[in-house]
């Protein structure tokens, strides 16, 4: 003889009909106080979800776009620095002024001896102006270098938490056989 034992079921609280309980709004309970049920049992507030160590795909996308924008600005600053350095080199090396026998009379400051005379006076070839252009070239170069480093750091940070697939398991992995 076998006696059948009904499977054990966990004891559950009796179901409460919505019409039996008064409506309790979150604004009815004071801040920090646990909410209570009509039966008087305390209900703990739901814990807030813990921050995920791996950013969501939206965060990855935002970081990637920010890194690309910084990289674009670094390229712009590099081009500006190259233009200013080219301008400085032109001012220092190129001959200028009126021509005599097919050649300009005045020599560039780094090419030949300083040309004396009123014909060779040029505001851009004076040393204060040349030093100003040199300072501008240096400033744009430092800005380009700093922006490039910043873009590289952002690029690495955007890829830091991506789940990596080992080479032996990823697509294109050598087959074992």
């Amino acid at each position: 003889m076998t006696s059948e034992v009904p499977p054990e079921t966990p004891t559950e609280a009796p179901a409460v009909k919505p019409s039996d309980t008064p409506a309790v709004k979150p604004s009815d309970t004071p801040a920090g106080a646990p909410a209570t049920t009509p039966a008087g049992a305390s209900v703990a507030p739901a814990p807030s979800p813990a921050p995920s160590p791996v950013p969501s795909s939206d965060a990855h996308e935002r970081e990637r776009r920010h890194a690309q924008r910084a990289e674009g600005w670094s390229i712009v600053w590099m081009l500006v620095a190259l233009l200013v350095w080219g301008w400085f080199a032109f001012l220092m090396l190129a001959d200028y002024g009126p021509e005599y026998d097919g050649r300009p009379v005045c020599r560039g400051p780094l090419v030949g001896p300083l040309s004396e005379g009123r014909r060779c006076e040029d505001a851009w070839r004076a040393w204060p102006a040349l030093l100003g252009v040199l300072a501008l070239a240096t400033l744009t170069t430092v800005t380009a270098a700093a922006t490039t480093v910043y873009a590289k750091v952002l690029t690495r940070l955007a890829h830091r938490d991506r789940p990596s697939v080992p080479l032996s398991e990823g697509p294109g992995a050598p087959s074992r056989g």
Side-chain angles (χ1 to χ4, degrees), residues 5-82:
V5 179
E8 291 186 27
T9 58
T11 57
E12 297 176 357
V16 179
K17 296 177 191 173
S19 61
D20 294 343
T21 61
V24 177
K25 299 176 189 167
S27 61
D28 293 343
T29 59
T36 58
T37 60
S42 288
V43 177
S48 62
S52 172
V54 177
S56 66
S57 62
D58 290 340
H60 275 300
E61 184 64 26
R62 262 194 325 269
E63 288 176 353
R64 189 183 61 79
R65 279 194 315 258
H66 191 66
Q68 286 177 339
R69 191 176 311 121
E71 190 172 349
W73 276 108
S74 72
I75 291 171
V76 168
W77 277 111
M78 280 187 217
L79 291 175
V80 169
L82 285 173

Side-chain angles (χ1 to χ4, degrees), residues 26-154:
S27 61
D28 293 343
T29 59
T36 58
T37 60
S42 288
V43 177
S48 62
S52 172
V54 177
S56 66
S57 62
D58 290 340
H60 275 300
E61 184 64 26
R62 262 194 325 269
E63 288 176 353
R64 189 183 61 79
R65 279 194 315 258
H66 191 66
Q68 286 177 339
R69 191 176 311 121
E71 190 172 349
W73 276 108
S74 72
I75 291 171
V76 168
W77 277 111
M78 280 187 217
L79 291 175
V80 169
L82 285 173
L83 285 173
V84 175
W85 278 110
W87 181 34
F88 179 70
F90 174 77
L91 290 175
M92 292 295 285
L93 300 173
D95 294 338
Y96 63 99
E99 292 186 11
Y100 180 73
D101 288 335
R103 286 190 57 169
V105 175
C106 306
R107 306 280 298 175
L110 288 182
V111 177
L114 286 176
S115 306
E116 297 297 327
R118 303 221 13 108
R119 294 183 300 177
C120 293
E121 288 181 12
D122 185 12
W124 284 108
R125 307 298 171 137
W127 281 107
L130 290 172
L131 290 177
V133 174
L134 177 64
L136 184 63
T138 304
L139 181 68
T140 56
T141 303
V142 169
T143 305
T147 309
T148 301
V149 169
Y150 179 66
K152 296 298 179 187
V153 167
L154 285 180

